[in-house]
Amino acid sequence: MSWPHAAGGALVYVGSYVIKSYSNFDNFLQDKYTFISAGIIIPVGVVMFIIGTVGCYATLRESKVGLSFFLLVILAIFAAEVTALVYGIIYQRRIKGDLERSMSDVFLKYDGQNSDTQAVDYLQSQLQCCGVQTYLNWTTNPWFSSINNAVPVSCCKGNNTECTGKLDQLDLLNTRGCEGMLEQLLQDVMSYALLVILGFAIFKIFGTLSVCVITCKVRRGGYQSLDA
C-alpha cells in the first residue's frame, strides 16, 4: 500500500470520527462548521485512496502525463486540506460561545419525554455530569419542581438503582456541570482532527516535491525505460 492509500484511509477515518463524535451532541450545537471540515476531508480521503493507484502506475511506467496529472491532483488535495484546516480552526474558537447559547435553551425544554429530554439524558449519562454549569441549575428548571424537586436520574452516578435524583442524595449524584465537560470533549476531538490534517498536509508537501523530482527526471530522460 502506497502513502496516498494510507493517507486517504486515515483522512476518511478522521472525518468519520469527527462527524460521529459531534452528531452524538448535535442538539447542543448551532453552528455546523465542524461538519464542513469533515465534509471536505472525507471525499478528499476517498480521492486520495483512488488516485494513489494512478500515482503508483505512473511512477512505475514513468508516464509524463500520468505523473503530471497525479501532481495536479495532489496540489488540489493539499488546497482542500488547508481549507478544512481553516474551517476547523474557525469552529474550534467558536465552540464555547456556541454551547453557551444553546445548552441552557435545550435544558429548559426538558420535560421527560421529548427529543431534547433524550439529548440531555444522553449527555448527562455519557459525560457523567449534571446541569449546565452545575447540578444546581436544575433547581431553576420548571421540570425540577414538577417532580417533587428532583434532578433527572441521568444525573445519578453509574445508573445507581438507589438514586432517585433527590438533592439529599448528593453522594449518589454527579455534581459537575455539563457545559465545561462537553466543551473540552469537542475541543479534544477537533484538536485531534486538526493535528492529523496538518500532519498530512505537511507530508503532502514532501510528496509533491518527490513527484516533481520524478517528473523532471522523466522529462530529461533520466530513467531507463522498464520495457528496455
Side-chain angles (χ1 to χ4, degrees):
M1 180 180 289
S2 63
W3 68 264
H5 291 107
L11 288 176
V12 170
Y13 170 78
V14 170
S16 301
Y17 172 69
V18 171
I19 289 178
K20 184 179 184 301
S21 298
Y22 276 67
S23 295
N24 289 335
F25 307 104
D26 190 46
N27 291 62
F28 306 101
L29 302 171
Q30 294 180 345
D31 291 332
K32 307 301 179 184
Y33 284 97
T34 179
F35 296 107
I36 295 178
S37 295
I40 292 174
I41 63 175
I42 288 178
V44 162
V46 172
V47 171
M48 279 195 66
F49 193 87
I50 296 173
I51 208 66
T53 304
V54 175
C56 291
Y57 177 81
T59 302
L60 290 174
R61 301 298 299 175
E62 303 167 16
S63 169
K64 297 178 183 179
V65 175
L67 286 170
S68 298
F69 174 72
F70 184 59
L71 178 60
L72 289 176
V73 173
I74 290 297
L75 290 174
I77 288 174
F78 176 77
E81 287 177 338
V82 171
T83 302
L85 193 65
V86 170
Y87 272 112
I89 292 173
I90 291 174
Y91 182 76
Q92 191 175 35
R93 294 177 177 177
R94 300 179 62 165
I95 289 177
K96 183 176 179 61
D98 191 11
L99 292 179
E100 287 177 348
R101 290 192 302 272
S102 61
M103 286 195 72
S104 295
D105 292 337
V106 175
F107 271 72
L108 281 175
K109 296 175 183 178
Y110 190 98
D111 65 2
Q113 296 180 341
N114 60 18
S115 60
D116 289 310
T117 295
Q118 296 175 5
V120 169
D121 284 337
Y122 179 81
L123 172 70
Q124 294 188 147
S125 61
Q126 290 295 308
L127 300 188
Q128 298 180 23
C129 57
C130 187
V132 181
Q133 286 84 26
T134 171
Y135 73 100
L136 292 175
N137 293 139
W138 279 107
T139 61
T140 60
N141 192 299
W143 188 83
F144 179 80
S145 57
S146 70
I147 58 161
N148 300 321
N149 298 334
V151 299
V153 293
S154 56
C155 285
C156 295
K157 294 179 179 178
N159 296 321
N160 194 307
T161 56
E162 296 180 1
C163 179
T164 62
K166 293 290 186 179
L167 296 187
D168 58 2
Q169 297 180 314
L170 281 182
D171 58 321
L172 301 180
L173 296 174
N174 295 306
T175 57
R176 293 181 59 186
C178 297
E179 183 180 307
M181 298 181 73
L182 180 57
E183 179 189 351
Q184 187 60 54
L185 172 66
L186 298 180
Q187 290 279 8
D188 290 345
V189 170
M190 185 56 68
S191 295
Y192 166 73
L194 292 178
L195 284 174
V196 172
I197 295 172
L198 178 61
F200 279 114
I202 294 174
F203 189 70
K204 204 78 81 281
I205 294 175
F206 292 102
T208 301
L209 291 176
S210 66
V211 174
C212 287
V213 170
I214 294 172
T215 303
C216 290
K217 286 186 176 181
V218 169
R219 287 178 176 175
R220 293 173 183 174
Y223 278 119
Q224 293 293 327
S225 175
L226 291 178
D227 295 329

